[in-house]
Amino acid sequence: MSISTLRRSARETVSGLPPGFWWLWLSTLVNRTGAFVLTFLSLYLTLELGHSAWFAGLVVALHGLGGVAGSPLGGVLTDRWGRRPTMVTMHLAGAACAAALALVTSAWGIAAVVLLMGVAMQAVRPPINATIADMVPAHDVRRAYALNYWALNLGFAIASIGGGAAAFLGYRTLFVVDAVATVLCAVIVFLRLPETRPERPAPTEEKSTAGEKSAAEEKVSTLTVLRDAPFRTLVLLNLLVCLVFTAPWIGLPLTMADQGLPASSYGVVIAVNGIVIVGFQLLVNKLTDKRSPVLLLALSSLLFALGTGATALAGSSVAFAATVVVWTVGEMIHVPTNAAATARLAPEHARGRYQGVMGMSWAVAGFVAPILAGAIVDGPGPDVLWAATGAIGVLAAAGYATRLRKALAEDEDVVAAPVPVPGPVPSPAPAPVVVKGEGAEDAEGSPVGA
């Protein structure tokens, strides 16, 4: 593939999205560029405060536990309160928690702050995902999620490098910088991002023969979301994939250590994950654009299964790095496709709740998988862990192919179908040029009717 072809593909990947999306993209980049807390928290707790590795692991797990509550909370607030207020509030709450870590020194005080930070950080994801679905045309939603995910990983890579270089300033200084970056993110959202929450359907006087409320009047709760059978299946399958995806973050370093490889080797191997995402996310997105979501979800699950399952066969740093490349490609395909599938299955006025329930599956896996992976490695051994992740990945792929083919295919047909415009076609008139795929926008750059 020539350089000119790559450039053209990159331009096509980033073109045609509304200005509001790029302000959201910038806020994600800024926020993740200053994300030092989770990266250096375990080192801060063990090296500077003298806590045990067990306590450090417990505190990190509490962050995931906070996310289990934060995700549905953020979803409800997104639909009731609005996308922008929820984002601003949760970003500021996360900033306050990061700043508090620079001041709090007691063990359980730190644990409480990290738990609340988990709530705030996970609660901000539903409004971000709902905003993207609101403002981006349906046929570009998956591409937009991929670009936002790329910004997240690019920012995280910058934070890891910058934080390591600036560690001599002290961990508390890094936490303050994290707080400042998160506040700046909230400012960008408040000043530049329009509110995109759709208007709730107007009540109607019409009643069904059974005397029930019409669909327009029906309120959507979290329980209502869980009763949506296709979406419930999507959440459960995503939970399986998340368990497979999370397992290497605890199981891989233990497996490499069991084979006598130094800790520094793990740092190099796991860095491959970020390098591949930052370097190739746009290319992967171009190659998978317009593909069937069921095909992509099944393919990504198989890549997770292959990459993690092959870890049992690896015996060198190069071989371990190769397995990371395989499941990282699966990650690049799965994350935006799953978010887009969630947006497609959700009613407009309930996008926050749907994204919140989906985010909860990520949070549950983030809490459960490290515990299970550690127990399996200490018990039956690493080979059992990787065999289990491979089997779970295959099971998820089969589930996507057999249980969601009809639901996502029908939804895809609806999105792709042209909408007839009644009446005569008006004659052309001078108007501002609209880039293909952006949709209608007002003078401020905000999507009309979003």
Side-chain angles (χ1 to χ4, degrees):
M1 184 177 291
S2 65
I3 299 297
S4 60
T5 302
L6 289 175
R7 288 178 178 174
R8 183 170 62 254
S9 298
R11 283 196 301 269
E12 292 174 355
T13 300
V14 301
S15 65
L17 297 173
F21 167 79
W22 291 110
W23 285 113
L24 183 64
W25 184 92
L26 178 62
S27 71
T28 298
L29 180 62
V30 169
N31 188 27
R32 296 299 293 179
T33 299
F36 298 120
V37 169
L38 287 182
T39 306
F40 296 95
L41 181 59
S42 60
L43 295 176
Y44 171 66
L45 292 172
T46 55
L47 299 181
E48 181 152 328
L49 298 184
H51 293 294
S52 65
W54 173 86
F55 179 77
L58 173 63
V59 170
V60 174
L62 286 175
H63 186 277
L65 184 62
V68 175
S71 190
L73 172 64
V76 171
L77 293 177
T78 296
D79 290 335
R80 288 187 178 179
W81 198 7
R83 280 66 160 140
R84 188 172 67 167
T86 304
M87 274 188 272
V88 171
T89 301
M90 293 305 167
H91 279 314
L92 293 178
C97 291
L101 283 176
L103 303 174
V104 177
T105 56
S106 70
W108 297 112
I110 292 173
V113 170
V114 172
L115 177 67
L116 293 175
M117 175 176 278
V119 174
M121 289 183 65
Q122 193 65 34
V124 82
R125 297 184 185 277
I128 290 174
N129 287 340
T131 299
I132 292 174
D134 293 339
M135 67 169 50
V136 175
H139 59 276
D140 282 331
V141 165
R142 198 190 73 83
R143 177 163 64 99
Y145 283 126
L147 287 170
N148 198 64
Y149 190 65
W150 180 58
L152 187 150
N153 282 277
L154 177 60
F156 182 77
I158 295 172
S160 299
I161 297 171
F168 67 91
L169 296 175
Y171 294 106
R172 289 183 174 88
T173 302
L174 294 181
F175 297 161
V176 171
V177 173
D178 190 327
V180 172
T182 308
V183 169
L184 179 57
C185 173
V187 170
I188 293 173
V189 171
F190 180 76
L191 294 180
R192 303 303 305 176
L193 197 66
E195 176 57 56
T196 63
R197 182 180 60 170
E199 293 293 332
R200 183 177 294 276
T204 176
E205 297 297 329
E206 296 180 2
K207 304 290 182 178
S208 67
T209 56
E212 298 176 349
K213 291 184 178 181
S214 67
E217 292 175 300
E218 184 180 356
K219 294 182 178 180
V220 178
S221 66
T222 302
L223 289 177
T224 307
V225 175
L226 293 175
R227 293 191 189 104
D228 184 335
F231 179 68
R232 186 173 64 244
T233 301
L234 184 68
V235 171
L236 292 175
L237 291 173
N238 184 68
L239 176 59
L240 294 179
V241 173
C242 292
L243 290 173
V244 176
F245 169 64
T246 309
W249 298 94
I250 184 68
L252 184 58
L254 296 177
T255 301
M256 294 179 67
D258 187 62
Q259 296 196 14
L261 295 172
S264 58
S265 297
Y266 170 71
V268 174
V269 168
I270 203 61
V272 171
N273 174 259
I275 293 171
V276 170
I277 292 176
V278 172
F280 297 98
Q281 178 72 68
L282 298 184
L283 177 60
V284 169
N285 187 62
K286 177 64 178 177
L287 294 175
T288 57
D289 194 26
K290 311 303 181 186
R291 305 292 182 182
S292 163
V294 172
L295 172 65
L296 295 178
L297 290 170
L299 173 61
S300 64
S301 300
L302 291 176
L303 289 172
F304 276 119
L306 177 62
T308 58
T311 306
L313 306 176
S316 65
S317 296
V318 174
F320 282 115
T323 66
V324 172
V325 170
V326 174
W327 60 256
T328 297
V329 176
E331 176 188 355
M332 290 190 288
I333 296 173
H334 179 84
V335 173
T337 306
N338 182 71
T342 301
R344 287 181 174 183
L345 293 177
E348 284 188 356
H349 63 286
R351 281 172 174 160
R353 285 179 173 84
Y354 272 69
Q355 294 288 355
V357 171
M358 180 57 72
M360 190 165 57
S361 66
W362 287 92
V364 169
F367 177 69
V368 172
I371 298 174
L372 292 178
I376 293 174
V377 170
D378 286 340
D383 289 352
V384 175
L385 172 65
W386 304 122
T389 57
I392 293 172
V394 172
L395 177 64
Y400 284 121
T402 59
R403 305 294 297 174
L404 288 174
R405 179 179 298 277
K406 182 178 180 181
L408 293 181
E410 286 179 350
D411 185 71
E412 194 175 33
D413 292 340
V414 171
V415 171
V419 179
V421 179
V425 178
S427 58
V433 176
V434 178
V435 180
K436 181 181 180 181
E438 282 192 358
E441 296 176 354
D442 60 19
E444 299 267 334
S446 306
V448 174

